[in-house]
Amino acid sequence: MSDYPIVSTGENVTRQVLSDHPDLMVVAFRFAKEGATGALHHHPHVQSTYVESGRFRFTLGDTTREVGPGDSFVVPANQEHGCVCLEPGMLVDGFTPRRDDFL
């Protein structure tokens, strides 16, 4: 169980830090409705994403792909990326180094 608060990141999307260390952070993103979005963005952190549940259409640079439960991938540092929720669910992201802006 996480002691970190659940934070709204947009309509029908929340994030909660699950654990952190200066070198690594694990974060749960919950998408409550079809059509909820993780806006296109980029950051200097390497990110791994694991689809715990739901279905999502991800844009990674110039590529778009659909992912579902059990899928995972890595987003290189500074690559533009974002997603659209196709079925409600949860993504578990790892960031290295830690996302201090999430604390």
Side-chain angles (χ1 to χ4, degrees):
M1 183 165 149
S2 175
D3 291 331
Y4 294 95
I6 296 172
V7 176
S8 175
T9 61
E11 192 172 340
N12 295 304
V13 183
T14 62
R15 107 176 152 237
Q16 183 178 31
V17 173
L18 301 177
S19 59
D20 82 287
H21 177 275
D23 297 330
L24 178 67
M25 176 179 269
V26 179
V27 181
F29 288 89
R30 292 175 179 89
F31 291 75
K33 261 184 121 169
E34 179 181 339
T37 61
L40 284 173
H41 66 287
H42 62 88
H43 44 72
H45 312 82
V46 174
Q47 173 181 329
S48 68
T49 296
Y50 172 75
V51 183
E52 191 274 335
S53 59
R55 293 202 62 76
F56 300 86
R57 181 180 310 113
F58 264 89
T59 299
L60 303 164
D62 295 331
T63 304
T64 300
R65 69 166 92 164
E66 285 189 21
V67 295
D71 289 338
S72 64
F73 55 91
V74 171
V75 180
N78 297 308
Q79 182 178 55
E80 187 171 63
H81 59 285
C83 70
V84 175
C85 176
L86 303 175
E87 294 176 13
M90 182 170 69
L91 303 172
V92 179
D93 290 351
F95 296 96
T96 183
R98 168 177 65 203
R99 293 281 308 254
D100 289 335
D101 56 321
F102 285 4
L103 295 177

